[in-house]
Amino acid sequence: EAGVTQFPSHSVIEKGQTVTLRCDPISGHDNLYWYRRVMGKEIKFLLHFVKESKQDESGMPNNRFLAERTGGTYSTLKVQPAELEDSGVYFCASSHFMLGYNEQFFGPGTRLTVL
Amino acid sequence: DQQVKQNSPSLSVQEGRISILNCDYTNSMFDYFLWYKKYPAEGPTFLISISSIKDKNEDGRFTVFLNKSAKHLSLHIVPSQPGDSAVYFCAASDNQAGTALIFGKGTTLSVSS
């Protein structure tokens, strides 16, 4: 079974540009999450989809970030326009929805550098 | 304000000995806890979890202990192996079905042979 995949693995852009990150969850996982780790700090939650619906977007930093999950399969996270403080590693995770269970499986991450 | 704290940034252990990684939390609504291992340039890998209705969960060399009254959990690795060298993250959530994980800052474990 393929794991969570993310594209690209690295992205270097200039301040003010736009970047779109993609995540393909494990097949059959209804839950999809985005997290971010900045400068060796803790991994912080951004948002959570259940199928194509945003269940919780309380961690989204501001309206420069837009996440979509059309059709309930893959998800994209767009940053427009990018700022220096957006640099970090963006992780996607997915999981089954099952009571008594909250193990989330992470992708390798996209390292975003904003210059 | 950090809700999950890993106060030891690093830990060094000799091969074959026990590694004990600690984690404290402040939010009494947390009732599900997980440990993840992370190698450089990879995503976190799930290791082991524990529900608040238990105080211990064991999986091979890995055991997690939960002390709810102290809001403290620990991960024991016995025996430690050089391949265990990685960053270990403690995470918590406030229910068991699909909510956001709150992570600590991680502890870097180095196991020497």
Side-chain angles (χ1 to χ4, degrees):
Chain A
E1 180 182 279
V4 177
T5 58
Q6 293 187 244
F7 182 83
S9 57
H10 294 85
S11 180
V12 180
I13 61 172
E14 294 193 350
K15 176 182 171 180
Q17 290 186 320
T18 297
V19 64
T20 300
L21 313 181
R22 173 172 169 142
C23 168
D24 287 80
I26 293 172
S27 178
H29 280 190
D30 287 339
N31 289 313
L32 186 149
Y33 310 82
W34 285 97
Y35 291 85
R36 179 174 72 174
R37 189 181 188 205
V38 174
M39 291 288 289
K41 294 188 177 180
E42 67 269 28
I43 300 167
K44 282 197 171 182
F45 167 76
L46 296 178
L47 88 159
H48 170 206
F49 284 99
V50 178
K51 296 185 180 179
E52 67 274 11
S53 300
K54 290 177 185 174
Q55 184 74 15
D56 179 0
E57 50 185 330
S58 61
M60 294 288 263
N62 50 61
N63 59 10
R64 295 185 294 104
F65 289 75
L66 176 64
E68 294 180 327
R69 192 182 182 194
T70 306
T73 54
Y74 72 92
S75 174
T76 58
L77 179 64
K78 180 190 288 188
V79 185
Q80 179 182 31
E83 298 289 344
L84 298 178
E85 63 265 25
D86 300 333
S87 296
V89 182
Y90 289 77
F91 293 106
C92 177
S94 71
S95 72
H96 282 299
F97 183 85
M98 185 185 303
L99 290 177
Y101 173 91
N102 199 18
E103 283 81 350
Q104 299 177 17
F105 298 91
F106 283 74
T110 293
R111 180 173 293 278
L112 175 64
T113 302
V114 183
L115 302 176
Chain B
D1 180 31
Q2 271 201 286
Q3 299 185 70
V4 177
K5 300 178 183 178
Q6 294 178 255
N7 292 320
S8 297
S10 63
L11 174 67
S12 294
V13 170
Q14 283 194 319
E15 181 178 9
R17 307 293 290 266
I18 184 171
S19 295
I20 300 176
L21 298 104
N22 293 304
C23 178
D24 296 291
Y25 61 96
T26 57
N27 190 337
S28 57
M29 296 299 292
F30 288 151
D31 62 5
Y32 200 72
F33 304 90
L34 308 91
W35 285 94
Y36 283 83
K37 177 171 74 173
K38 185 184 178 305
Y39 294 118
E42 294 184 10
T45 300
F46 169 72
L47 266 180
I48 191 168
S49 60
I50 187 166
S51 163
S52 61
I53 62 173
K54 296 183 176 180
D55 55 17
K56 176 183 173 181
N57 190 26
E58 196 170 351
D59 184 1
R61 296 187 296 115
F62 302 91
T63 302
V64 56
F65 296 91
L66 175 63
N67 181 335
K68 290 187 291 294
S69 61
K71 295 190 177 66
H72 177 84
L73 63 155
S74 61
L75 174 68
H76 293 211
I77 307 174
V78 182
S80 300
Q81 298 173 355
D84 295 330
S85 298
V87 180
Y88 288 78
F89 290 96
C90 172
S93 65
D94 63 2
N95 73 45
Q96 299 175 24
T99 57
L101 297 180
I102 309 301
F103 283 86
K105 288 187 176 181
T107 296
T108 300
L109 173 66
S110 299
V111 180
S112 57
S113 53

Coordinates of all heavy atoms in Angstrom, one line a residue, chain A residues 31 33 35 37 40-45 48 56 91 95-109, chain B residues 2 32 34 36 38 41-46 48-49 87 89 93 95-106:
Chain A
N31 N -9.8 11.2 6.2 CA -9.2 12.4 6.9 C -7.9 12.8 6.2 O -7.1 11.9 5.9 CB -8.9 12.0 8.3 CG -10.2 11.9 9.2 OD1 -11.0 12.7 9.1 ND2 -10.2 10.8 9.9
Y33 N -4.9 15.9 6.6 CA -4.5 17.1 7.5 C -3.3 17.7 6.8 O -2.5 17.1 6.2 CB -4.0 16.5 8.9 CG -5.0 15.6 9.5 CD1 -5.0 14.3 9.2 CD2 -5.8 16.1 10.5 CE1 -5.9 13.4 9.8 CE2 -6.7 15.2 11.2 CZ -6.8 13.9 10.8 OH -7.6 13.1 11.5
Y35 N 0.0 20.1 8.2 CA 0.8 20.6 9.4 C 2.0 21.4 8.8 O 2.4 21.2 7.7 CB 1.3 19.4 10.2 CG 0.2 18.7 11.0 CD1 -0.4 17.6 10.4 CD2 -0.1 19.0 12.3 CE1 -1.4 16.9 11.1 CE2 -1.0 18.3 13.0 CZ -1.7 17.2 12.4 OH -2.6 16.5 13.1
R37 N 6.1 22.7 10.1 CA 7.1 22.8 11.1 C 8.1 24.0 10.7 O 8.7 23.9 9.6 CB 7.9 21.5 11.2 CG 8.9 21.6 12.4 CD 9.7 20.3 12.6 NE 10.4 20.3 13.8 CZ 11.5 19.6 14.0 NH1 12.0 18.8 13.0 NH2 12.2 19.6 15.2
G40 N 12.7 24.2 13.1 CA 13.1 23.3 14.2 C 12.1 23.3 15.4 O 12.4 22.8 16.4
K41 N 11.0 24.0 15.2 CA 10.1 24.1 16.3 C 9.1 22.9 16.3 O 9.3 22.0 15.5 CB 9.3 25.4 16.3 CG 10.2 26.7 16.5 CD 9.4 27.9 16.6 CE 10.3 29.1 17.0 NZ 9.5 30.3 17.1
E42 N 8.0 23.0 17.0 CA 7.1 21.9 17.0 C 6.3 21.9 15.7 O 6.2 22.9 15.0 CB 6.1 22.0 18.2 CG 5.1 23.2 18.2 CD 5.7 24.4 18.9 OE1 6.9 24.5 18.9 OE2 4.9 25.2 19.4
I43 N 5.8 20.7 15.4 CA 4.9 20.6 14.2 C 3.5 21.1 14.6 O 2.9 20.7 15.6 CB 4.8 19.1 13.8 CG1 6.2 18.5 13.5 CG2 3.9 18.9 12.7 CD1 6.3 17.0 13.5
K44 N 3.1 22.1 13.8 CA 1.8 22.7 14.1 C 0.7 22.4 13.1 O 0.9 22.5 11.9 CB 2.0 24.2 14.2 CG 2.6 24.7 15.5 CD 2.5 26.2 15.7 CE 2.9 26.6 17.1 NZ 2.7 28.0 17.4
F45 N -0.5 22.2 13.6 CA -1.6 21.9 12.8 C -2.1 23.1 12.0 O -2.1 24.2 12.5 CB -2.8 21.4 13.7 CG -4.1 21.4 13.1 CD1 -4.5 20.3 12.3 CD2 -5.1 22.3 13.4 CE1 -5.7 20.2 11.7 CE2 -6.3 22.3 12.8 CZ -6.6 21.2 12.0
H48 N -7.8 20.5 8.6 CA -8.3 19.1 8.6 C -9.5 19.0 7.6 O -10.4 19.7 7.8 CB -8.7 18.6 10.0 CG -9.4 17.3 10.1 ND1 -10.2 17.0 11.1 CD2 -9.4 16.2 9.3 CE1 -10.7 15.8 10.9 NE2 -10.2 15.3 9.8
D56 N -11.8 21.5 10.1 CA -11.2 22.4 11.1 C -10.1 23.1 10.4 O -9.2 22.5 9.9 CB -10.7 21.6 12.3 CG -10.0 22.4 13.4 OD1 -9.9 23.6 13.2 OD2 -9.5 21.8 14.4
F91 N 3.9 19.4 6.1 CA 3.6 18.0 6.1 C 2.1 17.8 5.9 O 1.3 18.5 6.4 CB 3.9 17.3 7.5 CG 5.4 17.3 7.8 CD1 5.9 18.1 8.7 CD2 6.2 16.4 7.2 CE1 7.3 18.1 9.0 CE2 7.6 16.3 7.5 CZ 8.1 17.2 8.4
S95 N -5.7 9.7 7.6 CA -6.1 8.7 8.5 C -7.5 8.2 8.2 O -8.2 8.9 7.5 CB -6.0 9.2 10.0 OG -7.1 10.1 10.2
H96 N -7.8 7.0 8.7 CA -9.1 6.5 8.6 C -10.0 7.3 9.7 O -9.4 7.8 10.6 CB -9.2 5.0 9.1 CG -8.8 4.1 8.0 ND1 -9.4 3.9 6.8 CD2 -7.7 3.2 8.0 CE1 -8.8 3.0 6.1 NE2 -7.8 2.5 6.8
F97 N -11.3 7.3 9.5 CA -12.1 7.8 10.5 C -12.6 6.5 11.3 O -13.3 5.7 10.8 CB -13.3 8.6 10.0 CG -14.2 9.1 11.1 CD1 -13.8 10.3 11.7 CD2 -15.3 8.4 11.6 CE1 -14.6 10.8 12.8 CE2 -16.0 8.9 12.7 CZ -15.7 10.1 13.2
M98 N -12.2 6.4 12.6 CA -12.6 5.3 13.3 C -12.5 5.7 14.8 O -11.5 6.2 15.3 CB -11.6 4.1 13.1 CG -12.0 2.8 13.7 SD -10.7 1.5 13.5 CE -10.6 1.5 11.7
L99 N -13.6 5.4 15.5 CA -13.7 5.8 16.9 C -12.6 5.0 17.7 O -12.4 3.8 17.4 CB -15.1 5.5 17.5 CG -16.2 6.4 17.0 CD1 -17.5 5.9 17.6 CD2 -15.9 7.8 17.4
G100 N -12.0 5.7 18.6 CA -10.9 5.0 19.4 C -9.6 5.0 18.7 O -8.7 4.2 19.1
Y101 N -9.4 5.8 17.7 CA -8.2 5.6 16.8 C -7.9 7.0 16.2 O -8.8 7.6 15.7 CB -8.6 4.6 15.7 CG -7.6 4.5 14.6 CD1 -6.6 3.4 14.7 CD2 -7.6 5.2 13.4 CE1 -5.7 3.2 13.7 CE2 -6.8 5.0 12.4 CZ -5.8 4.0 12.5 OH -4.9 3.8 11.5
N102 N -6.7 7.4 16.4 CA -6.3 8.7 15.8 C -4.9 8.7 15.3 O -4.2 9.7 15.3 CB -6.5 9.9 16.8 CG -6.6 11.2 16.2 OD1 -6.8 11.3 15.0 ND2 -6.3 12.3 16.9
E103 N -4.4 7.5 14.8 CA -3.1 7.5 14.3 C -3.2 8.1 12.9 O -4.0 7.7 12.0 CB -2.7 6.0 14.1 CG -2.2 5.4 15.4 CD -3.3 4.9 16.3 OE1 -4.5 5.2 16.0 OE2 -3.1 4.2 17.3
Q104 N -2.3 9.1 12.7 CA -2.2 9.8 11.4 C -0.9 9.5 10.8 O 0.2 9.4 11.4 CB -2.3 11.3 11.7 CG -3.7 11.7 12.3 CD -3.8 13.2 12.6 OE1 -3.0 14.0 12.1 NE2 -4.8 13.5 13.5
F105 N -0.9 9.2 9.5 CA 0.2 8.8 8.7 C 0.7 10.0 7.9 O 0.0 10.5 7.1 CB -0.1 7.6 7.9 CG -0.5 6.4 8.8 CD1 -1.9 6.2 9.1 CD2 0.4 5.5 9.3 CE1 -2.3 5.2 9.9 CE2 0.0 4.5 10.1 CZ -1.3 4.3 10.4
F106 N 2.0 10.3 8.1 CA 2.6 11.5 7.5 C 3.3 11.2 6.2 O 3.9 10.2 6.0 CB 3.5 12.2 8.5 CG 2.8 12.9 9.6 CD1 2.2 12.2 10.6 CD2 2.8 14.3 9.5 CE1 1.5 12.9 11.6 CE2 2.1 15.0 10.5 CZ 1.5 14.3 11.6
G107 N 3.3 12.2 5.3 CA 4.1 12.2 4.1 C 5.5 12.7 4.4 O 5.8 13.2 5.6
P108 N 6.4 12.8 3.4 CA 7.8 13.2 3.7 C 7.9 14.7 3.8 O 9.0 15.1 4.2 CB 8.5 12.7 2.4 CG 7.4 12.6 1.4 CD 6.2 12.3 2.1
G109 N 6.9 15.4 3.5 CA 7.0 16.9 3.6 C 7.4 17.6 2.4 O 8.1 17.0 1.5
Chain B
Q2 N 2.7 26.4 25.1 CA 2.8 25.1 24.7 C 1.9 24.2 25.5 O 2.1 24.1 26.7 CB 4.2 24.6 24.8 CG 5.0 24.9 23.5 CD 6.3 24.0 23.5 OE1 7.2 24.2 24.2 NE2 6.2 23.0 22.7
Y32 N -5.8 11.2 24.2 CA -5.2 10.2 23.3 C -3.8 10.7 23.0 O -3.7 11.9 22.7 CB -6.0 10.0 22.0 CG -5.7 8.8 21.3 CD1 -6.2 7.5 21.7 CD2 -5.0 8.8 20.1 CE1 -5.9 6.4 21.0 CE2 -4.8 7.7 19.4 CZ -5.2 6.4 19.9 OH -5.0 5.3 19.2
L34 N 0.3 10.0 21.4 CA 1.0 9.2 20.4 C 2.5 9.6 20.4 O 2.8 10.7 20.8 CB 0.5 9.5 19.0 CG -1.0 9.4 18.7 CD1 -1.7 10.7 19.0 CD2 -1.3 8.9 17.3
Y36 N 5.8 9.7 17.8 CA 6.3 9.6 16.4 C 7.8 9.6 16.4 O 8.4 10.3 17.2 CB 5.7 10.7 15.6 CG 4.3 10.6 15.1 CD1 3.3 10.9 16.0 CD2 4.0 10.0 13.9 CE1 1.9 10.8 15.6 CE2 2.6 9.9 13.5 CZ 1.6 10.3 14.4 OH 0.3 10.1 14.0
K38 N 11.1 10.5 13.9 CA 11.4 11.2 12.6 C 12.9 11.2 12.3 O 13.7 11.7 13.1 CB 10.9 12.7 12.7 CG 11.1 13.5 11.4 CD 10.7 14.9 11.5 CE 10.9 15.6 10.2 NZ 12.3 15.5 9.7
A41 N 14.9 14.6 6.8 CA 14.4 14.7 5.5 C 13.2 13.7 5.2 O 12.9 13.4 4.1 CB 15.5 14.5 4.4
E42 N 12.7 13.2 6.3 CA 11.5 12.3 6.2 C 10.4 12.8 7.1 O 10.6 13.7 7.9 CB 11.8 10.8 6.7 CG 12.9 10.2 5.8 CD 13.1 8.7 6.2 OE1 12.3 8.2 7.1 OE2 14.0 8.1 5.7
G43 N 9.2 12.3 6.8 CA 8.1 12.7 7.6 C 8.0 11.9 8.9 O 8.7 10.9 9.0
P44 N 7.3 12.3 9.9 CA 7.2 11.6 11.2 C 6.5 10.2 10.9 O 5.6 10.1 10.1 CB 6.2 12.4 12.0 CG 6.3 13.8 11.5 CD 6.5 13.6 10.0
T45 N 7.0 9.2 11.6 CA 6.5 7.8 11.5 C 5.9 7.4 12.8 O 6.5 7.6 13.8 CB 7.7 6.9 11.2 OG1 8.3 7.2 9.9 CG2 7.1 5.4 11.0
F46 N 4.6 7.0 12.7 CA 3.9 6.6 13.9 C 4.6 5.4 14.6 O 5.0 4.4 13.9 CB 2.5 6.2 13.6 CG 1.7 5.5 14.7 CD1 1.3 6.3 15.8 CD2 1.5 4.2 14.7 CE1 0.7 5.7 16.8 CE2 0.8 3.6 15.7 CZ 0.4 4.3 16.8
I48 N 3.7 4.4 18.5 CA 2.9 3.8 19.4 C 1.9 4.8 20.0 O 2.3 6.0 20.0 CB 3.8 3.1 20.6 CG1 2.9 2.2 21.5 CG2 4.5 4.2 21.4 CD1 3.8 1.3 22.4
S49 N 0.8 4.4 20.5 CA -0.2 5.3 21.0 C -0.8 4.7 22.3 O -0.6 3.5 22.6 CB -1.3 5.5 20.0 OG -2.0 4.3 19.7
V87 N 14.7 11.9 15.9 CA 13.9 12.8 16.7 C 12.6 12.2 17.1 O 11.9 11.6 16.2 CB 13.7 14.1 16.0 CG1 12.9 15.1 16.9 CG2 15.0 14.8 15.6
F89 N 8.9 12.7 18.7 CA 7.8 13.6 19.0 C 6.7 13.0 19.8 O 6.2 11.9 19.4 CB 7.2 14.2 17.7 CG 8.2 15.1 16.9 CD1 8.9 14.7 15.9 CD2 8.3 16.5 17.3 CE1 9.8 15.5 15.2 CE2 9.1 17.3 16.6 CZ 9.9 16.8 15.5
S93 N -4.2 14.5 21.5 CA -5.4 15.0 20.9 C -6.5 14.9 21.9 O -6.4 14.1 22.9 CB -5.8 14.3 19.6 OG -6.1 12.9 19.8
N95 N -9.7 14.0 21.4 CA -10.6 12.8 21.3 C -9.9 11.8 20.4 O -8.8 12.1 19.9 CB -12.0 13.1 21.0 CG -12.2 13.5 19.5 OD1 -11.6 12.8 18.6 ND2 -12.9 14.5 19.3
Q96 N -10.5 10.7 20.2 CA -9.8 9.6 19.5 C -10.2 9.4 18.1 O -9.7 8.5 17.5 CB -10.0 8.3 20.3 CG -9.5 8.4 21.7 CD -9.9 7.2 22.5 OE1 -10.1 6.1 21.9 NE2 -10.0 7.3 23.8
A97 N -10.9 10.3 17.5 CA -11.4 10.1 16.2 C -11.2 11.3 15.3 O -12.0 12.1 15.0 CB -12.9 9.8 16.2
G98 N -9.9 11.4 14.8 CA -9.7 12.3 13.7 C -9.4 13.8 14.0 O -9.4 14.6 13.1
T99 N -9.2 14.1 15.2 CA -8.9 15.6 15.5 C -7.4 15.9 15.3 O -6.6 15.0 15.2 CB -9.4 16.0 16.8 OG1 -8.7 15.2 17.8 CG2 -10.9 15.8 17.0
A100 N -7.1 17.2 15.4 CA -5.8 17.7 15.2 C -4.8 17.1 16.3 O -5.2 17.0 17.4 CB -5.7 19.2 15.2
L101 N -3.6 16.8 15.9 CA -2.6 16.4 16.9 C -1.8 17.7 17.3 O -1.5 18.5 16.5 CB -1.6 15.4 16.3 CG -2.2 14.1 15.8 CD1 -1.2 13.2 15.2 CD2 -2.9 13.4 17.0
I102 N -1.6 17.7 18.6 CA -0.7 18.8 19.2 C 0.6 18.2 19.5 O 0.6 17.2 20.3 CB -1.4 19.4 20.4 CG1 -2.9 19.8 20.1 CG2 -0.6 20.6 20.9 CD1 -3.0 20.8 19.0
F103 N 1.6 18.7 18.9 CA 3.0 18.1 19.1 C 3.8 18.9 20.1 O 3.7 20.1 20.2 CB 3.7 18.1 17.7 CG 3.2 17.1 16.8 CD1 2.2 17.3 15.9 CD2 3.9 15.8 16.7 CE1 1.8 16.3 15.0 CE2 3.5 14.9 15.8 CZ 2.4 15.1 15.0
G104 N 4.8 18.1 20.7 CA 5.9 18.7 21.4 C 7.0 19.1 20.4 O 6.9 18.8 19.2
K105 N 8.0 19.7 21.0 CA 9.1 20.2 20.1 C 10.1 19.0 19.7 O 10.9 19.2 18.8 CB 9.9 21.3 20.8 CG 9.2 22.6 20.9 CD 10.1 23.7 21.4 CE 9.3 25.0 21.4 NZ 10.2 26.1 21.9
G106 N 10.0 17.9 20.4 CA 10.8 16.8 20.0 C 12.0 16.6 20.9 O 12.5 17.6 21.4

